[in-house]
Amino acid sequence: MATFLYKLGRLAFRRRHFVALIWVALLTLAGVGAASAPPAGNSSFSIPGTEAQKAFDLLEQRFPGQSADGATARVVFKAPAGEKMTDAGNKAAVEKTVEELADGSEVASVADPYKGDAVSKDGTIAYASVKYDVSGMELEESTKDALEDAAQQARDAGLTVEIGGDALQAVPETGATEVIGIAVAAVVLVITFGSLVAAGLPLLTALIGVGIGVSSITALASALELGSTTSILAMMIGLAVGIDYALFIVSRYRAELAEGREREEAAGRAVGTAGSAVVFAGLTVVIALVGLAVVNIPMLTKMGIAAAGTVAIAVLIALTMIPALLGYAGRRVKPAGAKGRLLGRSRKNGEKPDAPAGPPKANLGTRWASFVVRRPLAVLLLGVIGLGAAAVPAASLELGLPDDGSQPTSTTQRRAYDLLSEGFGPGFNGPLMVVVDAKGSDAPKDAFTDVEQQIKGLDGVVAVTPPQPNKGGDTATITVVPDSKPSSVQTEDLVHAIRDAGGDIEAKTGAETLVTGSTAMNIDVSEKLNDALVPYLVLVVGLAFLLLIVVFRSILVPLKAALGFLLSVMAALGAVVAVFQWGWLSGLMGVEETGPVMSMMPIFMVGVVFGLAMDYEVFLVTRMREAYVHGEKPNQAIVTGFKHGARVVTAAAVIMMAVFAGFIGSSESMVKMIGFGLAIAVFFDAFVVRMAIVPAVLALLGKRAWWLPKWLDRALPNVDVEGEGLRTAGERGAGPDEDRELVRT
């Protein structure tokens, strides 16, 4: 592989005009496709194999024309202090609002609060339910404006009016902190390279890669039903890995220049060595993201595949466009150790600086690695205990999906949620819909009544509406209001109690009872994700473990990498629980409402963090393996690996943390949580696991770290990540038929 990538790097360096043209054309094509594509429609959220989804599908079949997936809005009214909603003036204002809402072109129905028992017992709060023909993402802006205008007229009449539901659903905003994250990355690159030109290359290529990826997602969003979060996730991961992959190749290029090689040769060797690590690091990320398909939640699968595609683009750009741009940059990219004009006077390659003779001063990475090699056991224990302490809050992990109760208090959705809780109880914001399928029953009406009575006798139930049968009389819906908020454990227990009672009813009457609604669906999603976590972990870690065995030709190094990952991901989950569930530092993170951790967070962090963690493992340990293969002793190889890789890995980790932390400013709670979780996970993995625990374990293992059974060594393909084959390939130089040789390869 190293030889092939070496030739590819040299080819891209020489044919840089052609390579640059290809990538600019792809970016233009993707941009035109995004600009001309129809707006994204409904991002359907289905969870195959769950009871909630089965009930939802049954509703669409037995209650046709009712737009089961249509947007909803709850317009909540509160009377002024000392007044009631039943007062003549307030009642007239509400009825006028209901009339105006009913005139909307996309409105399916509007429920008058005075005809539907939608006034609180104390008479101070009422609500009108609005049902639309289309989903929240498909609503026209004029329809949303009409909803807000109607609410404003009621406010002008003296009422407090707030709007809940998904009718006002908006595309999440990431905020200015995303730009700050990129700015921090730029500063780190300038400090690392000491040159604006060298620092600009990773940023430029990462932005081009993300531009192609996100534009492609936008172009396909309508056809593939991709949600707005999909493009944000792709941007988040694409920026982080795009900058890092380019950073490693540019750094290796400067190191090759410092050894006196010509620029084309240096570009080829950089792609052949660091590029090999980029390929395998990218593969681990792609495996982790595509592996999300095992959860069997279509939305999560699409998110994973879209992000994996962006990572693949980042790898291809790093292997081809970086050497092409290095060809354009010429002498403006200095050898390693030579400062540019920005941070110091430049010197020609090979020219000695004015300094006293003597051995070169060891850099910080070398000094740190030497310390770890001398005190491996102490460093190992300190790192493991520290991560273990950070992971303690993860034992209290509670899972759920965000609802209006997790929105900032500045939003009308959150204020409507609070008003409904005040007037009707906390469970009113998460009613359960019970669907009774009596098609196989001899007495459907009796079955409906039995279900109603059974539910009324359960603990935790505030109200149960009478059964509402369909036209055929074989299916009915019953609305159940719990006495606890939607995301609580009590509500989850009630859902299971209703389902357990439904089993007895089916045995007696032949009618099947199903529980659905947004609350039940959230519960089913959480359980499905929990059940899929172990199989997903086995699949992703297992495949990556096999891949790393091929890369490092060792059993213990990949095993150590996997165990270190588990430590970092558990510590990161503990930090997420502490901030978003317990409320530690919540003000600093902009978390206005604590609650359960998003259900997708554990499995998502396992996938993404594992892929990113293996990046640092591959980049850092590959340098150690390279030194060991070339004859250095195990401990000296560790120091050499840190000498060449620690500074770059540190810069890469800081950049990735800055990019992820930039998404903490998002208005979407899921994006905010993902941004924080990934940022803190990169910190734990890069600076504690890879920089401390990994060298400590390798120092304790010595030569045993690189042990591989002979039969397995013979069976594994030799991918030559260390670039051993480049010693002869580099000496041969570029032949006149090299382009044709590359094609044959």
Side-chain angles (χ1 to χ4, degrees):
M1 174 177 285
T3 303
F4 171 78
L5 292 177
Y6 163 80
K7 295 174 182 177
L8 178 64
R10 294 194 65 171
L11 177 63
F13 188 95
R14 288 198 309 274
R15 304 294 178 85
R16 46 188 172 272
H17 303 305
F18 181 68
V19 172
L21 182 62
I22 289 177
W23 285 112
V24 171
L26 289 175
L27 179 61
T28 303
L29 184 64
V32 170
S36 59
N42 180 30
S43 176
S44 57
F45 185 80
S46 60
I47 41 174
T50 62
E51 181 173 312
Q53 185 64 44
K54 182 180 178 181
F56 186 81
D57 295 339
L58 185 65
L59 283 174
E60 289 192 324
Q61 178 186 347
R62 302 285 175 84
F63 291 82
Q66 290 197 8
S67 302
D69 60 345
T72 58
R74 276 179 171 174
V75 184
V76 188
F77 307 90
K78 183 174 182 179
E83 298 183 17
K84 303 285 188 182
M85 288 305 304
T86 51
D87 294 346
N90 295 335
K91 185 176 182 180
V94 171
E95 290 176 340
K96 183 179 180 181
T97 301
V98 170
E99 290 177 6
E100 291 183 0
L101 290 172
D103 292 337
S105 59
E106 295 179 308
V107 175
S109 62
V110 180
D112 189 323
Y114 300 103
K115 297 178 181 178
D117 192 26
V119 181
S120 62
K121 291 182 180 180
D122 62 4
T124 60
I125 298 174
Y127 69 92
S129 296
V130 186
K131 182 75 173 176
Y132 293 92
D133 293 322
V134 296
S135 68
M137 295 300 291
E138 295 173 313
L139 280 179
E140 296 180 359
E141 287 301 320
S142 58
T143 301
K144 296 181 180 181
D145 292 341
L147 175 60
E148 293 177 328
D149 291 343
Q152 186 58 47
Q153 290 185 15
R155 293 190 187 102
D156 295 340
L159 298 175
T160 298
V161 186
E162 304 296 346
I163 305 171
D166 61 352
L168 296 181
Q169 181 179 358
V171 176
E173 300 175 355
T174 53
T177 50
E178 176 190 347
V179 179
I180 296 174
I182 297 176
V184 171
V187 172
V188 173
L189 287 170
V190 170
I191 294 174
T192 302
F193 292 137
S195 164
L196 285 175
V197 175
L201 296 182
L203 280 177
L204 177 61
T205 54
L207 290 174
I208 290 175
V210 168
I212 294 173
V214 173
S215 296
S216 300
I217 292 171
T218 304
L220 299 172
S222 178
L224 301 181
E225 295 185 347
L226 302 177
S228 57
T229 309
T230 303
S231 59
I232 293 178
L233 174 64
M235 181 188 303
M236 183 189 302
I237 296 177
L239 272 176
V241 300
I243 295 174
D244 278 7
Y245 294 165
L247 166 65
F248 281 102
I249 291 180
V250 173
S251 297
R252 187 60 183 252
Y253 171 76
R254 296 177 72 237
E256 297 293 338
L257 287 180
E259 293 182 10
R261 293 187 174 88
E262 294 296 326
R263 294 187 178 276
E264 182 179 327
E265 175 70 12
R269 284 179 174 267
V271 175
T273 51
S276 298
V278 165
V279 169
F280 282 98
L283 274 175
T284 58
V285 180
V286 169
I287 288 172
L289 291 170
V290 174
L292 291 171
V294 303
V295 184
N296 196 25
I297 295 180
M299 184 190 77
L300 196 59
T301 300
K302 293 174 185 177
M303 289 172 63
I305 293 175
T310 307
V311 172
I313 292 172
V315 171
L316 292 175
I317 283 185
L319 297 178
T320 57
M321 195 169 185
I322 281 293
L325 293 179
L326 288 172
Y328 283 119
R331 296 186 178 278
R332 283 169 290 187
V333 176
K334 305 293 181 182
K339 297 294 184 181
R341 294 180 180 179
L342 185 66
L343 295 180
R345 295 181 61 187
S346 62
R347 65 178 187 269
K348 294 181 181 179
N349 187 29
E351 181 180 333
K352 295 183 180 180
D354 296 330
K361 182 180 179 181
N363 61 23
L364 181 61
T366 302
R367 295 196 298 272
W368 169 250
S370 300
F371 170 77
V372 174
V373 167
R374 290 196 304 270
R375 301 284 188 271
L377 187 59
V379 172
L380 176 63
L381 290 176
L382 186 61
V384 171
I385 292 172
L387 290 178
V392 168
S396 303
L397 177 67
E398 295 179 10
L399 298 177
L401 286 178
D403 54 19
D404 285 348
S406 61
Q407 295 269 12
T409 53
S410 58
T411 62
T412 185
Q413 292 95 330
R414 171 59 188 278
R415 292 195 292 263
Y417 181 98
D418 292 339
L419 284 177
L420 289 172
S421 296
E422 177 187 341
F424 302 91
F428 195 78
N429 282 293
L432 307 174
M433 179 176 287
V434 178
V435 182
V436 185
D437 181 8
K439 198 168 187 177
S441 175
D442 297 331
K445 291 185 178 180
D446 293 340
F448 300 155
T449 303
D450 285 347
V451 173
E452 179 188 2
Q453 295 303 318
Q454 283 271 15
I455 294 175
K456 284 183 176 178
L458 296 175
D459 295 333
V461 175
V462 172
V464 180
T465 64
Q468 302 293 322
N470 63 346
K471 291 182 179 179
D474 58 1
T475 308
T477 60
I478 300 172
T479 301
V480 181
V481 179
D483 65 359
S484 52
K485 64 181 183 178
S487 57
S488 66
V489 177
Q490 292 82 355
T491 300
E492 182 177 348
D493 292 340
L494 176 59
V495 169
H496 290 304
I498 295 174
R499 288 172 174 171
D500 292 341
D504 298 335
I505 294 172
E506 184 175 6
K508 184 171 62 174
T509 66
E512 185 179 11
T513 302
L514 305 170
V515 184
T516 188
S518 60
T519 301
M521 191 166 284
N522 289 351
I523 292 170
D524 286 350
V525 168
S526 298
E527 293 179 351
K528 190 176 182 70
L529 288 166
N530 284 338
D531 293 341
L533 182 58
V534 173
Y536 174 71
L537 193 62
V538 171
L539 172 69
V540 171
V541 176
L543 287 176
F545 180 77
L546 295 176
L547 188 65
L548 292 178
I549 289 179
V550 174
V551 174
F552 296 126
R553 309 195 75 78
S554 164
I555 297 292
L556 296 179
V557 171
L559 180 62
K560 171 263 309 169
L563 293 176
F565 150 74
L566 291 175
L567 274 174
S568 59
V569 79
M570 289 303 298
L573 274 177
V576 170
V577 169
V579 174
F580 290 89
Q581 187 175 310
W582 292 359
W584 293 5
L585 302 177
S586 57
L588 181 63
M589 298 296 166
V591 180
E592 297 188 18
E593 183 70 20
T594 59
V597 172
M598 183 184 62
S599 301
M600 296 180 186
M601 198 65 192
I603 199 165
F604 185 79
M605 283 189 65
V606 165
V608 178
V609 175
F610 182 78
L612 300 179
M614 294 306 103
D615 282 0
Y616 303 119
E617 181 74 17
V618 170
F619 289 131
L620 193 60
V621 180
T622 295
R623 270 296 185 129
M624 300 178 191
R625 168 76 181 174
E626 184 177 342
Y628 179 75
V629 167
H630 291 165
E632 293 188 7
K633 293 182 178 180
N635 282 2
Q636 182 58 41
I638 295 171
V639 176
T640 301
F642 268 77
K643 174 184 176 181
H644 294 292
R647 177 183 175 89
V648 181
V649 169
T650 299
V654 172
I655 289 169
M656 197 170 280
M657 288 168 56
V659 172
F660 287 146
F663 289 84
I664 297 176
S666 173
S667 60
E668 178 71 32
S669 58
M670 182 172 75
V671 175
K672 181 189 292 288
M673 191 179 294
I674 289 174
F676 172 79
L678 294 183
I680 197 70
V682 168
F683 172 77
F684 286 143
D685 194 85
F687 293 107
V688 181
V689 174
R690 308 302 153 191
M691 291 288 189
I693 293 178
V694 164
V697 171
L698 290 177
L700 289 172
L701 291 175
K703 290 184 178 181
R704 290 168 294 180
W706 309 108
W707 171 78
L708 185 69
K710 291 184 178 180
W711 63 267
L712 185 57
D713 187 35
R714 291 192 298 267
L716 291 177
N718 184 13
V719 295
D720 189 21
V721 177
E722 300 85 14
E724 182 67 20
L726 297 185
R727 290 190 166 190
T728 55
E731 292 169 359
R732 284 199 309 266
D737 297 325
E738 188 176 76
D739 294 355
R740 290 194 295 274
E741 184 183 353
L742 176 60
V743 174
R744 289 197 302 271
T745 304

